[in-house]
Amino acid sequence: MTGKKSSLLELDARTKKRNAAEKRFQYFGIGAVTVGLLFLIVLLTTIVSNGTRAFTQTFVTFELVLDTAEIEAAEASFVKTSKYRDIITAQLAAKVEELGFETELTSADDLKQIFSSGAAGTLREYVLANPESIGTTEVFKFRTSSRVDGYSKGRVTRESLARDKNLAPAALDLVDQMQEAGLVDRSFNWTFITGSDASESRPEQAGIGVSMIGSFFMMLVVLVFALPIGVAASIYLEEFAPKNRLTDIIEVNISNLAAVPSIVFGILGLAVFIQFAHLPQSAPLVGGLVLTLMTLPTIIISTRASLKSVPPSIREAALGVGASKMQTVFHHVLPLAMPGILTGTIIGLAQALGETAPLLLIGMVGFIASNYPEGVASGFLDPNSAMPAQIFEWAKRADPAYYERAWGGIIVLLGFLMTMNMIAILMRRRFERRW
Amino acid sequence: MYDDNHLAERTVTQNDIKISANKVNVHYGESHAIKDVDVAIEDKTVTAFIGPSGCGKSTFLRCINRMNDTIDICRVTGDIRIDNEDIYDRKVDPVQLRAKVGMVFQKPNPFPKSIYDNIAYGPRIHGLARSKADMDEIVEKSLRRGAIWDEVKDRLHAPGTGLSGGQQQRLCIARAVATEPEVLLMDEPCSALDPIATSQVEELIDELRKNYSLVIVTHSMQQAARVSQKTAFFHLGTLVEYGDTGQIFTNPTDERTESYITGRIG
């Protein structure tokens, strides 16, 4: 003791130092949060600016005379769609002349570059589905080729077309005039959401719908297997199992499994489900089983944590009035742990929904998602892809139009993930009870 | 020291023995928590267990309804008999035993359910009520016995966790008596309560003595003196002295008991 009386109005050196340290720490914290937010903003703007273009599509709309003789001739020919294409291009050529557009493109061959190669198929499908329309005139809305679509979105320019054999730069002049005349316009692209994957040359027809169904069936499998197995295992380990070496080993290994790279689960799935159990390749059932293996540790860990967080006094209270162990768990502990379990499950599902790597090894990546499943069984067993795998597939393809679709797919996937997280939050709110 | 409580004048009538313990030893892993405890607890009597922290009184209490079974490393040897039946017999199911030996814990721990469901839970799982009317009757009777009926009768479907601490503890006592136990164990039931709530619970304990054999662990010697007829003093895992409360507090035979009640140890 120095004996000198200190004043409370003056900060001593120690206090100053302590306060400075505290301030510094707070600034670090604010800095860290800011950096995080910045990255999030950059990420979201990139995704949105690149991806939203996938949700619109340029169409050519014009009246088409469905001449009976021409259609009969087309149906009689060997390559039917090629004849249908000729019907479309010939009538467009007539239209171009009638409206007096200035263009050097007059042949049907030149004009077909404007349309998606799927346009003829669209026409034929319509004619077959509506035979009464033959001999009448109908308004058709054909999707343009991805180059014309890209031009309308600013992705394709005359310079970039100079080295592109898929569309002559001169066609853009025609497109400009058609746009002015109201023949060409851009509208919402439902096909992107409901459609299936398309071949390399037809990005304008590709959609994420079928792989969405694939993801849906996989999530069903994960939910049906991972939730009951995971919750049962956690309840047993947490509430019933004796604490000994064996359960310790199991515990450590579950934690380790949660950190195993997901591609390893893919190899495991390939070896066990496909090569050993002979389940079909590329099937959502197998994908779901692999993702179940991957999700189980997540569910077990979060379920155990939420069981552990139920105060022991509740267990004592139940045991004290003569409830059996199982009654204690199911009547009291489980309802209180429910919000945590549900949150963990949904987070696990969301993780599984976004997983690509294990799907590579069981053949769910590639040009697979081209047909809708015919029913529930076919949904589980027929080859299909999943949303993230589809995005990966599109990102691999050379055409920038596919690159655009990959970003669009990411928006759809993020939409699903955000919805799932929102459900998790709502459930937590709904089930949360105080004790 | 406690003469003002008129302990010496308290009449102690000899009752039947309800619980008898014989050479009870409890080990927690390596540590020997209870050493050779012999005690005979009477029916329709309040027996207080006192002693310094960690002396094993709660551990011994938890042996009486086999609550210690839930702790893996806990081992109990010796025998404890209720109505001359060995409760550690292989044939005894601890769940059935706990319906007969109710327990009230240190911290009020109502279920996060309604007041009604808190009481009805025990009778429901033991199948004590045949109809809704039966159950209503049990709930009312139990809440009356818990001396809390008047305070909660208008809000039976409000959550039990919304009550005050003292009310919660009385709710827990009501819940414990709802399964018609014969013995009621209380592990420091008032330690989390304020003096007013404590005196309400103490009155209730005295009231419950008519029907049950009560064993209460307490840190408060005044409380032991106020509510109990018999007192057992535990020290370092052994039962040092057991006798009429009046005698223990006014004329202890063991030196350690005297040191404890006069505040020299513990």
Side-chain angles (χ1 to χ4, degrees), chain B residues 80-123:
Chain B
I80 299 177
R81 289 170 181 276
I82 293 180
D83 291 334
N84 224 11
E85 287 173 340
D86 183 3
I87 63 167
Y88 279 90
D89 193 282
R90 269 168 183 284
K91 280 177 259 170
V92 173
D93 187 280
V95 171
Q96 221 174 332
L97 169 73
R98 286 183 206 130
K100 200 169 167 177
V101 183
M103 186 156 190
V104 176
F105 299 87
Q106 185 169 359
K107 212 173 132 246
N109 55 355
F111 299 129
K113 296 173 190 283
S114 70
I115 293 170
Y116 185 96
D117 285 335
N118 259 285
I119 306 294
Y121 181 70

mmCIF file of all heavy atoms in Angstrom, chain B residues 80-123:
data_model
loop_
_atom_site.group_PDB
_atom_site.id
_atom_site.type_symbol
_atom_site.label_atom_id
_atom_site.label_comp_id
_atom_site.label_asym_id
_atom_site.label_seq_id
_atom_site.Cartn_x
_atom_site.Cartn_y
_atom_site.Cartn_z
ATOM 1 N N ILE B 80 -31.902 -52.589 2.395
ATOM 2 C CA ILE B 80 -32.864 -51.595 2.858
ATOM 3 C C ILE B 80 -34.228 -52.247 2.704
ATOM 4 O O ILE B 80 -34.549 -52.779 1.640
ATOM 5 C CB ILE B 80 -32.784 -50.311 2.007
ATOM 6 C CG1 ILE B 80 -31.382 -49.691 2.109
ATOM 7 C CG2 ILE B 80 -33.856 -49.313 2.447
ATOM 8 C CD1 ILE B 80 -31.184 -48.465 1.251
ATOM 9 N N ARG B 81 -34.987 -52.243 3.783
ATOM 10 C CA ARG B 81 -36.295 -52.889 3.742
ATOM 11 C C ARG B 81 -37.384 -51.866 3.971
ATOM 12 O O ARG B 81 -37.270 -51.021 4.855
ATOM 13 C CB ARG B 81 -36.388 -53.969 4.816
ATOM 14 C CG ARG B 81 -35.538 -55.163 4.502
ATOM 15 C CD ARG B 81 -35.437 -56.119 5.675
ATOM 16 N NE ARG B 81 -34.586 -57.223 5.264
ATOM 17 C CZ ARG B 81 -35.037 -58.274 4.586
ATOM 18 N NH1 ARG B 81 -36.335 -58.384 4.319
ATOM 19 N NH2 ARG B 81 -34.210 -59.223 4.206
ATOM 20 N N ILE B 82 -38.428 -51.973 3.160
ATOM 21 C CA ILE B 82 -39.624 -51.176 3.400
ATOM 22 C C ILE B 82 -40.723 -52.179 3.701
ATOM 23 O O ILE B 82 -40.950 -53.106 2.919
ATOM 24 C CB ILE B 82 -39.985 -50.306 2.182
ATOM 25 C CG1 ILE B 82 -38.906 -49.233 1.970
ATOM 26 C CG2 ILE B 82 -41.356 -49.656 2.378
ATOM 27 C CD1 ILE B 82 -39.141 -48.312 0.808
ATOM 28 N N ASP B 83 -41.364 -52.006 4.842
ATOM 29 C CA ASP B 83 -42.349 -52.984 5.312
ATOM 30 C C ASP B 83 -41.771 -54.392 5.251
ATOM 31 O O ASP B 83 -42.423 -55.338 4.800
ATOM 32 C CB ASP B 83 -43.633 -52.917 4.472
ATOM 33 C CG ASP B 83 -44.392 -51.621 4.727
ATOM 34 O OD1 ASP B 83 -44.231 -51.063 5.835
ATOM 35 O OD2 ASP B 83 -45.115 -51.173 3.829
ATOM 36 N N ASN B 84 -40.517 -54.473 5.646
ATOM 37 C CA ASN B 84 -39.827 -55.763 5.715
ATOM 38 C C ASN B 84 -39.609 -56.444 4.364
ATOM 39 O O ASN B 84 -39.374 -57.641 4.306
ATOM 40 C CB ASN B 84 -40.540 -56.710 6.685
ATOM 41 C CG ASN B 84 -39.522 -57.422 7.565
ATOM 42 O OD1 ASN B 84 -38.341 -57.036 7.574
ATOM 43 N ND2 ASN B 84 -39.960 -58.450 8.265
ATOM 44 N N GLU B 85 -39.700 -55.665 3.274
ATOM 45 C CA GLU B 85 -39.371 -56.244 1.975
ATOM 46 C C GLU B 85 -38.098 -55.591 1.464
ATOM 47 O O GLU B 85 -37.997 -54.361 1.455
ATOM 48 C CB GLU B 85 -40.495 -55.983 0.969
ATOM 49 C CG GLU B 85 -41.721 -56.813 1.218
ATOM 50 C CD GLU B 85 -42.887 -56.415 0.320
ATOM 51 O OE1 GLU B 85 -42.885 -55.292 -0.207
ATOM 52 O OE2 GLU B 85 -43.796 -57.240 0.181
ATOM 53 N N ASP B 86 -37.161 -56.421 1.041
ATOM 54 C CA ASP B 86 -35.883 -55.901 0.583
ATOM 55 C C ASP B 86 -36.075 -55.199 -0.760
ATOM 56 O O ASP B 86 -36.429 -55.828 -1.749
ATOM 57 C CB ASP B 86 -34.893 -57.063 0.441
ATOM 58 C CG ASP B 86 -33.515 -56.567 0.026
ATOM 59 O OD1 ASP B 86 -33.348 -55.341 -0.078
ATOM 60 O OD2 ASP B 86 -32.627 -57.404 -0.183
ATOM 61 N N ILE B 87 -35.841 -53.885 -0.781
ATOM 62 C CA ILE B 87 -36.093 -53.156 -2.022
ATOM 63 C C ILE B 87 -34.985 -53.363 -3.045
ATOM 64 O O ILE B 87 -35.123 -52.994 -4.201
ATOM 65 C CB ILE B 87 -36.309 -51.639 -1.782
ATOM 66 C CG1 ILE B 87 -35.066 -50.996 -1.189
ATOM 67 C CG2 ILE B 87 -37.527 -51.404 -0.925
ATOM 68 C CD1 ILE B 87 -35.105 -49.484 -1.218
ATOM 69 N N TYR B 88 -33.877 -53.927 -2.630
ATOM 70 C CA TYR B 88 -32.819 -54.210 -3.602
ATOM 71 C C TYR B 88 -32.863 -55.658 -4.064
ATOM 72 O O TYR B 88 -31.950 -56.151 -4.697
ATOM 73 C CB TYR B 88 -31.443 -53.843 -3.028
ATOM 74 C CG TYR B 88 -31.175 -52.367 -3.156
ATOM 75 C CD1 TYR B 88 -31.537 -51.480 -2.146
ATOM 76 C CD2 TYR B 88 -30.605 -51.854 -4.321
ATOM 77 C CE1 TYR B 88 -31.333 -50.126 -2.280
ATOM 78 C CE2 TYR B 88 -30.395 -50.497 -4.466
ATOM 79 C CZ TYR B 88 -30.756 -49.633 -3.443
ATOM 80 O OH TYR B 88 -30.553 -48.287 -3.600
ATOM 81 N N ASP B 89 -33.965 -56.346 -3.740
ATOM 82 C CA ASP B 89 -34.158 -57.711 -4.208
ATOM 83 C C ASP B 89 -34.229 -57.705 -5.732
ATOM 84 O O ASP B 89 -34.698 -56.753 -6.340
ATOM 85 C CB ASP B 89 -35.468 -58.260 -3.619
ATOM 86 C CG ASP B 89 -35.570 -59.763 -3.794
ATOM 87 O OD1 ASP B 89 -35.887 -60.214 -4.920
ATOM 88 O OD2 ASP B 89 -35.332 -60.465 -2.804
ATOM 89 N N ARG B 90 -33.729 -58.787 -6.334
ATOM 90 C CA ARG B 90 -33.758 -58.890 -7.806
ATOM 91 C C ARG B 90 -35.162 -58.702 -8.366
ATOM 92 O O ARG B 90 -35.345 -58.201 -9.463
ATOM 93 C CB ARG B 90 -33.319 -60.299 -8.216
ATOM 94 C CG ARG B 90 -31.867 -60.460 -8.450
ATOM 95 C CD ARG B 90 -31.582 -61.948 -8.552
ATOM 96 N NE ARG B 90 -30.161 -62.205 -8.713
ATOM 97 C CZ ARG B 90 -29.491 -62.035 -9.833
ATOM 98 N NH1 ARG B 90 -30.123 -61.610 -10.906
ATOM 99 N NH2 ARG B 90 -28.203 -62.273 -9.910
ATOM 100 N N LYS B 91 -36.160 -59.188 -7.614
ATOM 101 C CA LYS B 91 -37.524 -59.181 -8.143
ATOM 102 C C LYS B 91 -38.171 -57.804 -8.103
ATOM 103 O O LYS B 91 -39.202 -57.578 -8.721
ATOM 104 C CB LYS B 91 -38.384 -60.183 -7.359
ATOM 105 C CG LYS B 91 -38.184 -61.618 -7.811
ATOM 106 C CD LYS B 91 -38.995 -62.569 -6.970
ATOM 107 C CE LYS B 91 -38.111 -63.233 -5.931
ATOM 108 N NZ LYS B 91 -38.822 -63.982 -4.922
ATOM 109 N N VAL B 92 -37.553 -56.893 -7.346
ATOM 110 C CA VAL B 92 -38.175 -55.567 -7.210
ATOM 111 C C VAL B 92 -37.880 -54.722 -8.446
ATOM 112 O O VAL B 92 -36.742 -54.605 -8.889
ATOM 113 C CB VAL B 92 -37.658 -54.850 -5.951
ATOM 114 C CG1 VAL B 92 -38.164 -53.408 -5.915
ATOM 115 C CG2 VAL B 92 -38.095 -55.597 -4.709
ATOM 116 N N ASP B 93 -38.955 -54.151 -8.998
ATOM 117 C CA ASP B 93 -38.782 -53.233 -10.125
ATOM 118 C C ASP B 93 -38.701 -51.814 -9.563
ATOM 119 O O ASP B 93 -39.617 -51.384 -8.872
ATOM 120 C CB ASP B 93 -39.976 -53.348 -11.075
ATOM 121 C CG ASP B 93 -39.757 -52.541 -12.326
ATOM 122 O OD1 ASP B 93 -39.959 -51.312 -12.278
ATOM 123 O OD2 ASP B 93 -39.361 -53.125 -13.336
ATOM 124 N N PRO B 94 -37.609 -51.117 -9.840
ATOM 125 C CA PRO B 94 -37.465 -49.780 -9.241
ATOM 126 C C PRO B 94 -38.605 -48.835 -9.598
ATOM 127 O O PRO B 94 -38.941 -47.943 -8.824
ATOM 128 C CB PRO B 94 -36.134 -49.275 -9.798
ATOM 129 C CG PRO B 94 -35.702 -50.226 -10.836
ATOM 130 C CD PRO B 94 -36.440 -51.502 -10.630
ATOM 131 N N VAL B 95 -39.205 -49.051 -10.762
ATOM 132 C CA VAL B 95 -40.302 -48.173 -11.174
ATOM 133 C C VAL B 95 -41.490 -48.321 -10.238
ATOM 134 O O VAL B 95 -42.093 -47.349 -9.796
ATOM 135 C CB VAL B 95 -40.679 -48.482 -12.637
ATOM 136 C CG1 VAL B 95 -41.952 -47.760 -13.019
ATOM 137 C CG2 VAL B 95 -39.544 -48.074 -13.559
ATOM 138 N N GLN B 96 -41.787 -49.590 -9.895
ATOM 139 C CA GLN B 96 -42.891 -49.857 -8.976
ATOM 140 C C GLN B 96 -42.572 -49.299 -7.582
ATOM 141 O O GLN B 96 -43.431 -48.750 -6.908
ATOM 142 C CB GLN B 96 -43.068 -51.363 -8.891
ATOM 143 C CG GLN B 96 -44.502 -51.804 -8.876
ATOM 144 C CD GLN B 96 -44.554 -53.318 -8.928
ATOM 145 O OE1 GLN B 96 -43.661 -53.973 -9.469
ATOM 146 N NE2 GLN B 96 -45.589 -53.871 -8.355
ATOM 147 N N LEU B 97 -41.305 -49.441 -7.216
ATOM 148 C CA LEU B 97 -40.878 -48.947 -5.911
ATOM 149 C C LEU B 97 -41.073 -47.436 -5.821
ATOM 150 O O LEU B 97 -41.548 -46.906 -4.823
ATOM 151 C CB LEU B 97 -39.396 -49.301 -5.691
ATOM 152 C CG LEU B 97 -38.722 -48.637 -4.499
ATOM 153 C CD1 LEU B 97 -39.206 -49.261 -3.205
ATOM 154 C CD2 LEU B 97 -37.212 -48.720 -4.594
ATOM 155 N N ARG B 98 -40.709 -46.741 -6.915
ATOM 156 C CA ARG B 98 -40.768 -45.276 -6.878
ATOM 157 C C ARG B 98 -42.196 -44.745 -6.848
ATOM 158 O O ARG B 98 -42.421 -43.609 -6.449
ATOM 159 C CB ARG B 98 -40.007 -44.693 -8.068
ATOM 160 C CG ARG B 98 -38.513 -44.803 -7.882
ATOM 161 C CD ARG B 98 -37.756 -44.162 -9.010
ATOM 162 N NE ARG B 98 -36.449 -44.798 -9.105
ATOM 163 C CZ ARG B 98 -35.931 -45.278 -10.218
ATOM 164 N NH1 ARG B 98 -36.597 -45.195 -11.343
ATOM 165 N NH2 ARG B 98 -34.751 -45.836 -10.204
ATOM 166 N N ALA B 99 -43.140 -45.571 -7.276
ATOM 167 C CA ALA B 99 -44.535 -45.144 -7.147
ATOM 168 C C ALA B 99 -44.927 -45.177 -5.673
ATOM 169 O O ALA B 99 -45.768 -44.420 -5.209
ATOM 170 C CB ALA B 99 -45.432 -46.050 -7.965
ATOM 171 N N LYS B 100 -44.279 -46.071 -4.916
ATOM 172 C CA LYS B 100 -44.603 -46.255 -3.510
ATOM 173 C C LYS B 100 -43.805 -45.291 -2.627
ATOM 174 O O LYS B 100 -44.231 -44.929 -1.545
ATOM 175 C CB LYS B 100 -44.247 -47.704 -3.147
ATOM 176 C CG LYS B 100 -44.903 -48.244 -1.926
ATOM 177 C CD LYS B 100 -44.662 -49.742 -1.854
ATOM 178 C CE LYS B 100 -45.033 -50.281 -0.497
ATOM 179 N NZ LYS B 100 -44.868 -51.727 -0.414
ATOM 180 N N VAL B 101 -42.626 -44.911 -3.137
ATOM 181 C CA VAL B 101 -41.759 -44.004 -2.388
ATOM 182 C C VAL B 101 -41.594 -42.729 -3.208
ATOM 183 O O VAL B 101 -40.798 -42.660 -4.129
ATOM 184 C CB VAL B 101 -40.379 -44.649 -2.135
ATOM 185 C CG1 VAL B 101 -39.513 -43.736 -1.294
ATOM 186 C CG2 VAL B 101 -40.537 -45.999 -1.483
ATOM 187 N N GLY B 102 -42.392 -41.738 -2.891
ATOM 188 C CA GLY B 102 -42.344 -40.496 -3.663
ATOM 189 C C GLY B 102 -41.137 -39.665 -3.291
ATOM 190 O O GLY B 102 -40.511 -39.865 -2.248
ATOM 191 N N MET B 103 -40.791 -38.740 -4.179
ATOM 192 C CA MET B 103 -39.616 -37.920 -3.881
ATOM 193 C C MET B 103 -39.846 -36.474 -4.298
ATOM 194 O O MET B 103 -40.440 -36.200 -5.334
ATOM 195 C CB MET B 103 -38.399 -38.490 -4.605
ATOM 196 C CG MET B 103 -37.122 -37.777 -4.229
ATOM 197 S SD MET B 103 -35.699 -38.824 -4.502
ATOM 198 C CE MET B 103 -34.433 -37.877 -3.699
ATOM 199 N N VAL B 104 -39.359 -35.570 -3.465
ATOM 200 C CA VAL B 104 -39.405 -34.142 -3.762
ATOM 201 C C VAL B 104 -37.963 -33.662 -3.785
ATOM 202 O O VAL B 104 -37.176 -34.025 -2.912
ATOM 203 C CB VAL B 104 -40.218 -33.383 -2.691
ATOM 204 C CG1 VAL B 104 -40.176 -31.885 -2.950
ATOM 205 C CG2 VAL B 104 -41.653 -33.884 -2.658
ATOM 206 N N PHE B 105 -37.640 -32.891 -4.803
ATOM 207 C CA PHE B 105 -36.235 -32.542 -5.004
ATOM 208 C C PHE B 105 -35.905 -31.151 -4.490
ATOM 209 O O PHE B 105 -36.781 -30.341 -4.191
ATOM 210 C CB PHE B 105 -35.875 -32.656 -6.487
ATOM 211 C CG PHE B 105 -36.056 -34.056 -7.001
ATOM 212 C CD1 PHE B 105 -37.281 -34.483 -7.480
ATOM 213 C CD2 PHE B 105 -34.996 -34.947 -6.975
ATOM 214 C CE1 PHE B 105 -37.457 -35.773 -7.929
ATOM 215 C CE2 PHE B 105 -35.170 -36.239 -7.424
ATOM 216 C CZ PHE B 105 -36.400 -36.649 -7.905
ATOM 217 N N GLN B 106 -34.609 -30.902 -4.458
ATOM 218 C CA GLN B 106 -34.098 -29.642 -3.932
ATOM 219 C C GLN B 106 -34.653 -28.442 -4.699
ATOM 220 O O GLN B 106 -35.184 -27.512 -4.127
ATOM 221 C CB GLN B 106 -32.583 -29.683 -4.063
ATOM 222 C CG GLN B 106 -31.886 -28.507 -3.469
ATOM 223 C CD GLN B 106 -30.395 -28.760 -3.416
ATOM 224 O OE1 GLN B 106 -29.900 -29.806 -3.793
ATOM 225 N NE2 GLN B 106 -29.666 -27.773 -2.937
ATOM 226 N N LYS B 107 -34.509 -28.505 -6.021
ATOM 227 C CA LYS B 107 -34.994 -27.403 -6.846
ATOM 228 C C LYS B 107 -36.383 -27.801 -7.343
ATOM 229 O O LYS B 107 -36.557 -28.910 -7.822
ATOM 230 C CB LYS B 107 -34.052 -27.216 -8.035
ATOM 231 C CG LYS B 107 -33.946 -25.783 -8.493
ATOM 232 C CD LYS B 107 -32.877 -25.643 -9.567
ATOM 233 C CE LYS B 107 -33.420 -24.867 -10.722
ATOM 234 N NZ LYS B 107 -33.539 -25.617 -11.957
ATOM 235 N N PRO B 108 -37.368 -26.913 -7.193
ATOM 236 C CA PRO B 108 -38.693 -27.283 -7.710
ATOM 237 C C PRO B 108 -38.578 -27.644 -9.192
ATOM 238 O O PRO B 108 -37.975 -26.906 -9.957
ATOM 239 C CB PRO B 108 -39.513 -26.002 -7.540
ATOM 240 C CG PRO B 108 -38.768 -25.160 -6.571
ATOM 241 C CD PRO B 108 -37.340 -25.555 -6.655
ATOM 242 N N ASN B 109 -39.090 -28.800 -9.560
ATOM 243 C CA ASN B 109 -38.935 -29.219 -10.956
ATOM 244 C C ASN B 109 -40.254 -29.657 -11.580
ATOM 245 O O ASN B 109 -40.406 -30.792 -11.999
ATOM 246 C CB ASN B 109 -37.894 -30.335 -11.067
ATOM 247 C CG ASN B 109 -38.215 -31.517 -10.175
ATOM 248 O OD1 ASN B 109 -39.175 -31.469 -9.406
ATOM 249 N ND2 ASN B 109 -37.460 -32.581 -10.291
ATOM 250 N N PRO B 110 -41.227 -28.740 -11.645
ATOM 251 C CA PRO B 110 -42.474 -29.135 -12.315
ATOM 252 C C PRO B 110 -42.206 -29.449 -13.787
ATOM 253 O O PRO B 110 -41.267 -28.917 -14.368
ATOM 254 C CB PRO B 110 -43.354 -27.884 -12.184
ATOM 255 C CG PRO B 110 -42.414 -26.764 -11.981
ATOM 256 C CD PRO B 110 -41.237 -27.332 -11.259
ATOM 257 N N PHE B 111 -43.016 -30.324 -14.359
ATOM 258 C CA PHE B 111 -42.906 -30.587 -15.794
ATOM 259 C C PHE B 111 -43.352 -29.333 -16.534
ATOM 260 O O PHE B 111 -44.238 -28.625 -16.056
ATOM 261 C CB PHE B 111 -43.824 -31.746 -16.205
ATOM 262 C CG PHE B 111 -43.507 -33.037 -15.535
ATOM 263 C CD1 PHE B 111 -44.503 -33.763 -14.895
ATOM 264 C CD2 PHE B 111 -42.224 -33.559 -15.556
ATOM 265 C CE1 PHE B 111 -44.224 -34.968 -14.278
ATOM 266 C CE2 PHE B 111 -41.939 -34.762 -14.942
ATOM 267 C CZ PHE B 111 -42.938 -35.466 -14.301
ATOM 268 N N PRO B 112 -42.791 -29.085 -17.694
ATOM 269 C CA PRO B 112 -43.259 -27.920 -18.462
ATOM 270 C C PRO B 112 -44.615 -28.196 -19.098
ATOM 271 O O PRO B 112 -44.781 -28.154 -20.314
ATOM 272 C CB PRO B 112 -42.158 -27.721 -19.504
ATOM 273 C CG PRO B 112 -41.457 -29.022 -19.603
ATOM 274 C CD PRO B 112 -41.648 -29.735 -18.309
ATOM 275 N N LYS B 113 -45.567 -28.550 -18.274
ATOM 276 C CA LYS B 113 -46.927 -28.835 -18.725
ATOM 277 C C LYS B 113 -47.875 -28.059 -17.821
ATOM 278 O O LYS B 113 -47.434 -27.327 -16.951
ATOM 279 C CB LYS B 113 -47.220 -30.334 -18.578
ATOM 280 C CG LYS B 113 -46.375 -31.254 -19.422
ATOM 281 C CD LYS B 113 -46.683 -32.691 -19.025
ATOM 282 C CE LYS B 113 -45.733 -33.683 -19.641
ATOM 283 N NZ LYS B 113 -45.980 -33.973 -21.036
ATOM 284 N N SER B 114 -49.167 -28.272 -18.014
ATOM 285 C CA SER B 114 -50.119 -27.553 -17.179
ATOM 286 C C SER B 114 -50.080 -28.088 -15.745
ATOM 287 O O SER B 114 -49.568 -29.187 -15.497
ATOM 288 C CB SER B 114 -51.526 -27.710 -17.745
ATOM 289 O OG SER B 114 -51.961 -29.032 -17.556
ATOM 290 N N ILE B 115 -50.625 -27.299 -14.829
ATOM 291 C CA ILE B 115 -50.680 -27.715 -13.428
ATOM 292 C C ILE B 115 -51.427 -29.042 -13.329
ATOM 293 O O ILE B 115 -50.985 -29.985 -12.663
ATOM 294 C CB ILE B 115 -51.380 -26.622 -12.596
ATOM 295 C CG1 ILE B 115 -50.498 -25.370 -12.574
ATOM 296 C CG2 ILE B 115 -51.691 -27.107 -11.196
ATOM 297 C CD1 ILE B 115 -51.166 -24.144 -11.987
ATOM 298 N N TYR B 116 -52.540 -29.126 -14.049
ATOM 299 C CA TYR B 116 -53.355 -30.349 -14.034
ATOM 300 C C TYR B 116 -52.528 -31.543 -14.486
ATOM 301 O O TYR B 116 -52.485 -32.582 -13.822
ATOM 302 C CB TYR B 116 -54.562 -30.142 -14.946
ATOM 303 C CG TYR B 116 -55.553 -31.284 -14.932
ATOM 304 C CD1 TYR B 116 -56.678 -31.239 -14.125
ATOM 305 C CD2 TYR B 116 -55.351 -32.406 -15.725
ATOM 306 C CE1 TYR B 116 -57.587 -32.280 -14.100
ATOM 307 C CE2 TYR B 116 -56.259 -33.458 -15.709
ATOM 308 C CZ TYR B 116 -57.372 -33.388 -14.898
ATOM 309 O OH TYR B 116 -58.260 -34.421 -14.875
ATOM 310 N N ASP B 117 -51.832 -31.377 -15.602
ATOM 311 C CA ASP B 117 -51.062 -32.503 -16.141
ATOM 312 C C ASP B 117 -49.884 -32.883 -15.256
ATOM 313 O O ASP B 117 -49.468 -34.037 -15.216
ATOM 314 C CB ASP B 117 -50.549 -32.170 -17.557
ATOM 315 C CG ASP B 117 -51.670 -32.246 -18.572
ATOM 316 O OD1 ASP B 117 -52.640 -32.976 -18.302
ATOM 317 O OD2 ASP B 117 -51.571 -31.579 -19.618
ATOM 318 N N ASN B 118 -49.340 -31.894 -14.555
ATOM 319 C CA ASN B 118 -48.264 -32.196 -13.618
ATOM 320 C C ASN B 118 -48.719 -33.215 -12.581
ATOM 321 O O ASN B 118 -48.010 -34.161 -12.283
ATOM 322 C CB ASN B 118 -47.834 -30.916 -12.896
ATOM 323 C CG ASN B 118 -46.563 -30.343 -13.483
ATOM 324 O OD1 ASN B 118 -45.484 -30.872 -13.251
ATOM 325 N ND2 ASN B 118 -46.702 -29.304 -14.271
ATOM 326 N N ILE B 119 -49.924 -32.981 -12.052
ATOM 327 C CA ILE B 119 -50.449 -33.881 -11.022
ATOM 328 C C ILE B 119 -50.917 -35.182 -11.661
ATOM 329 O O ILE B 119 -50.669 -36.269 -11.155
ATOM 330 C CB ILE B 119 -51.637 -33.228 -10.276
ATOM 331 C CG1 ILE B 119 -51.238 -31.870 -9.719
ATOM 332 C CG2 ILE B 119 -52.158 -34.153 -9.196
ATOM 333 C CD1 ILE B 119 -50.204 -31.902 -8.642
ATOM 334 N N ALA B 120 -51.584 -35.053 -12.806
ATOM 335 C CA ALA B 120 -52.235 -36.225 -13.396
ATOM 336 C C ALA B 120 -51.231 -37.203 -14.000
ATOM 337 O O ALA B 120 -51.555 -38.366 -14.214
ATOM 338 C CB ALA B 120 -53.219 -35.771 -14.480
ATOM 339 N N TYR B 121 -50.010 -36.735 -14.265
ATOM 340 C CA TYR B 121 -49.061 -37.609 -14.968
ATOM 341 C C TYR B 121 -48.814 -38.932 -14.237
ATOM 342 O O TYR B 121 -48.932 -40.001 -14.826
ATOM 343 C CB TYR B 121 -47.736 -36.882 -15.208
ATOM 344 C CG TYR B 121 -46.763 -37.749 -15.953
ATOM 345 C CD1 TYR B 121 -46.996 -38.057 -17.289
ATOM 346 C CD2 TYR B 121 -45.664 -38.319 -15.315
ATOM 347 C CE1 TYR B 121 -46.142 -38.890 -17.977
ATOM 348 C CE2 TYR B 121 -44.809 -39.154 -16.004
ATOM 349 C CZ TYR B 121 -45.046 -39.435 -17.341
ATOM 350 O OH TYR B 121 -44.219 -40.273 -18.014
ATOM 351 N N GLY B 122 -48.495 -38.824 -12.935
ATOM 352 C CA GLY B 122 -48.206 -40.041 -12.162
ATOM 353 C C GLY B 122 -49.382 -41.005 -12.150
ATOM 354 O O GLY B 122 -49.262 -42.164 -12.566
ATOM 355 N N PRO B 123 -50.563 -40.542 -11.693
ATOM 356 C CA PRO B 123 -51.737 -41.431 -11.695
ATOM 357 C C PRO B 123 -52.029 -42.006 -13.080
ATOM 358 O O PRO B 123 -52.440 -43.158 -13.204
ATOM 359 C CB PRO B 123 -52.871 -40.498 -11.255
ATOM 360 C CG PRO B 123 -52.207 -39.426 -10.475
ATOM 361 C CD PRO B 123 -50.850 -39.253 -11.073
#
